[in-house]
């Protein structure tokens, strides 16, 4: 595998760097609510107007039709530009990274035409209604039911942990349409309008005091049958492609940003007093060792990301190998922010920046989500064991 960039890719990098220098917002991202939604959508519109939305989306859907490597280069330049926000937290994440890509692979022409351009133009927020109180790791055990009535589905049940449901317009929703079929067979993947009568959303506050999770309740919510993506009762196959994108390519920006975070942390360690109360933190052998390991591990993560991109380019959709990257990335993300707290020490108790110092506590608290969301590390290990290594099922 050749890891050198082509001349075209290097020119693309230079173009991205210049554009980002001129267009990156200086403002902090509002942490919650309508203001956050408007900030994220405004940034998506800025990207679209500048020709930087959907870099790796096909041109027929409004993207630039470039490679995943170019998409990754753009993320690297974004991270290096020292932005005041991260891409992974954006409420445009689902639409861009797995809702839209799922429609491209499984949607019909009308669904693609109705939704894909709106995602890219920053007109709409998507959320994901997969998990339920009794169905997380065992997603196929979901019980939110949908009954066909004429040319509509009537949905009743509950979802939970739905990120950004309270600011979303559209949901990728999994429902049980055949209760008598084996559990993987009676599921459908539907596009749900979040303004539909019968939907109630209750916000959940997390330990970092941010509300971006919700419970969503459905009381006889009517959804046109034309919103079923793929065939009715064939939603498990569609959901697997959604999870393939979510575990395979969706976190590319975050993987790349982690490398920039480690560099920032090395700078912090140069300027902060270390455990002996005299010398800089980086002079402490143990901290230096952990920083060096983190730098090596983000380099390994980059190589894994590029290998994943190269595999996806051959097959068209991310395979189960994405779970290896997701697993390594999730655990590494936590190690990096744990190290950050050890370097920052008691100052980590500050939740707002002082004298230009970085803020590490919020991201540290959020790092716990990295081994849960999109499938826990245990589930990713099961997938790697069974579907990548071909080990027998327990
Ligand atoms: C930040 C974040 C954002 C999220 N956003 C969304 C969203 O937008 N939409 C959505 O639908 N969901 C979302 N989720 C939910 C997420 O998908 C689930 O939390 C996850 O799949 C785990 O399910 P669970 O919480 O029900 O845990 P459980 O499935 O109950 O798991 C509990 C524990 O048992 C272990 N376990 C369970 N089964 C097995 C097994 N077979 N083998 C080994 N160990 C096992 C798990 O690893 C875990 O440690 C989000 C979660 C997080 C943290």
């Amino acid at each position: 595998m050749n890891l050198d960039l082509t001349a075209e890719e290097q020119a693309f990098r230079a173009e991205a760097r210049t554009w980002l220098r001129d267009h990156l917002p200086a403002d902090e991202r509002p942490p919650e609510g309508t203001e956050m939604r408007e900030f994220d959508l405004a940034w998506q519109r800025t990207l679209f107007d500048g020709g930087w939305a959907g870099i790796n989306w096909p041109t027929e859907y409004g993207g630039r039709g470039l490679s995943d490597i170019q998409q990754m280069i753009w993320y690297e330049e974004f991270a290096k530009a020292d932005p005041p926000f991260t891409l992974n937290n954006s409420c445009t994440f689902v639409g861009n990274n797995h809702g839209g890509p799922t429609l491209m692979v499984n949607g019909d022409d009308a669904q693609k035409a109705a939704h894909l351009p709106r995602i890219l133009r920053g007109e709409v927020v998507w959320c994901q209604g997969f998990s339920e109180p009794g169905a997380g790791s065992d997603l196929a055990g979901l019980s939110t039911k949908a009954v066909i009535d004429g040319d509509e589905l009537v949905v009743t049940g509950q979802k939970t942990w739905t990120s950004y449901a309270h600011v979303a317009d559209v949901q990728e929703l999994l429902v049980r349409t055949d209760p008598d079929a084996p559990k993987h067979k009676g599921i459908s993947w539907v596009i749900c309008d979040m303004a539909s009568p019968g939907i109630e959303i209750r916000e959940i506050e997390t330990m970092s005091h941010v509300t971006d999770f919700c419970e969503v309740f459905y009381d006889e919510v009517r959804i046109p049958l034309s919103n079923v993506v793929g065939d009715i009762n064939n939603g498990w196959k569609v959901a697997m492609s959604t999870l393939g994108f979510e575990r395979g390519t969706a976190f590319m920006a975050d993987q790349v940003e982690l490398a920039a975070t480690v560099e920032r942390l090395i700078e912090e360690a140069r300027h902060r007093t270390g455990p002996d109360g005299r010398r800089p933190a980086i002079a402490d052998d143990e901290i230096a060792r952990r920083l060096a390991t983190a730098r090596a591990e983000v380099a390994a993560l980059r190589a894994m990301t590029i290998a994943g991109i190269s595999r996806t380019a051959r097959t068209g959709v991310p395979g189960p190998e994405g779970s290896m990257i997701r697993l390594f990335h999730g655990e590494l993300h936590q190690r990096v922010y744990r190290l950050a707290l050890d370097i920052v020490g008691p100052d980590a108790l500050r939740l707002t920046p002082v004298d230009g110092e970085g803020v590490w506590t919020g991201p540290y608290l959020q790092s716990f989500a990295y081994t849960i969301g999109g499938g826990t590390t245990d589930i990713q290990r099961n997938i790697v064991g069974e579907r990548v290594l071909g080990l027998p099922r327990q």
Side-chain angles (χ1 to χ4, degrees), residues 209-220:
H209 297 299
V210 173
T211 303
D212 51 21
F213 272 148
C214 302
E215 294 176 293
V216 184
F217 297 84
Y218 309 78
D219 182 10
E220 302 200 338

Side-chain angles (χ1 to χ4, degrees), residues 91 93-95 98-99 102 125-132 139 159-165 168 170-174 189-190 194 214 216 218 239 241-247 373-375:
C91 60
F93 178 86
V94 169
H98 51 86
T102 301
V125 170
W126 277 59
C127 64
Q128 180 186 48
F130 281 19
S131 306
E132 297 184 2
L139 183 58
K159 296 288 169 179
T160 192
W161 312 127
T162 315
S163 307
Y164 298 133
V170 181
Q171 184 177 52
E172 48 180 46
L173 174 64
L174 288 184
W189 197 109
V190 293
M194 293 299 279
C214 302
V216 184
Y218 309 78
S241 81
T242 310
L243 293 179
F245 288 115
E246 189 175 357
R247 292 167 182 167

Side-chain angles (χ1 to χ4, degrees), residues 92-392:
T92 58
F93 178 86
V94 169
N96 273 292
N97 294 301
H98 51 86
T102 301
L103 287 190
M104 285 180 217
V105 177
N106 304 281
D108 61 30
D109 288 345
Q111 291 164 345
K112 290 177 192 171
H115 295 284
L116 296 177
R118 299 193 65 211
I119 292 172
L120 278 195
R121 288 198 302 254
E123 293 171 0
V124 68
V125 170
W126 277 59
C127 64
Q128 180 186 48
F130 281 19
S131 306
E132 297 184 2
S137 301
D138 180 22
L139 183 58
L142 63 91
S143 61
T144 294
K145 70 169 182 189
V147 178
I148 298 177
D149 181 24
D151 57 2
E152 291 177 320
L153 286 170
V154 183
V155 176
T156 302
Q158 185 199 338
K159 296 288 169 179
T160 192
W161 312 127
T162 315
S163 307
Y164 298 133
H166 60 316
V167 293
D169 308 287
V170 181
Q171 184 177 52
E172 48 180 46
L173 174 64
L174 288 184
V175 290
R176 184 158 300 286
T177 33
D178 184 351
D180 300 323
K183 68 178 183 179
H184 293 89
K185 304 247 175 202
I187 293 171
S188 299
W189 197 109
V190 293
I191 302 167
C192 173
D193 178 348
M194 293 299 279
S196 308
I199 293 186
E200 185 191 337
I201 297 168
R202 294 186 201 155
E203 297 173 13
I204 305 171
E205 188 179 333
T206 65
M207 67 176 166
S208 51
H209 297 299
V210 173
T211 303
D212 51 21
F213 272 148
C214 302
E215 294 176 293
V216 184
F217 297 84
Y218 309 78
D219 182 10
E220 302 200 338
V221 175
R222 302 189 84 86
I223 300 176
L225 272 173
S226 56
N227 281 17
V228 174
V229 174
D231 295 327
I232 194 108
N233 295 327
N234 201 21
W236 187 251
K237 183 170 157 273
V238 184
M240 285 305 98
S241 81
T242 310
L243 293 179
F245 288 115
E246 189 175 357
R247 292 167 182 167
T249 43
F251 283 88
M252 212 198 295
D254 200 81
Q255 288 154 215
V256 160
E257 279 170 359
L258 196 57
T261 302
V262 169
E263 294 310 309
R264 275 209 330 275
L265 195 49
I266 291 171
E267 279 311 300
E268 291 263 356
R270 286 191 214 286
H271 296 111
R272 285 187 182 268
T273 308
D276 66 4
R278 291 182 294 108
R279 295 174 308 158
I282 203 160
D284 180 79
D285 283 351
E286 180 58 12
I287 286 179
R289 186 192 62 76
R290 288 168 70 193
L291 282 169
T293 305
R295 193 185 250 174
E297 287 182 325
V298 291
L301 180 64
R302 183 173 192 268
M304 287 170 83
T305 304
I306 293 172
I309 288 172
S310 148
R311 250 191 321 268
T312 307
R314 284 198 299 276
T315 58
V317 280
E321 296 85 1
S323 287
M324 294 192 300
I325 305 176
R326 183 82 189 99
L327 173 61
F328 185 66
H329 168 224
E331 293 185 341
L332 175 57
H333 190 104
Q334 288 179 352
R335 282 197 293 280
V336 167
Y337 282 97
R338 175 68 240 187
L339 173 57
L341 287 213
D342 290 343
I343 290 171
V344 174
D347 282 353
L349 294 172
R350 293 183 193 144
L351 293 176
T352 48
V354 175
D355 299 334
E357 290 169 351
V359 176
W360 299 94
T361 313
Y364 167 72
L365 292 175
Q366 284 194 335
S367 76
F368 287 88
Y370 277 72
T371 49
I372 306 172
T376 67
T377 40
D378 299 318
I379 295 306
Q380 309 295 358
R381 284 194 165 86
N382 287 349
I383 294 170
V384 172
E386 289 164 14
R387 294 173 54 200
V388 181
L389 301 175
L391 299 176

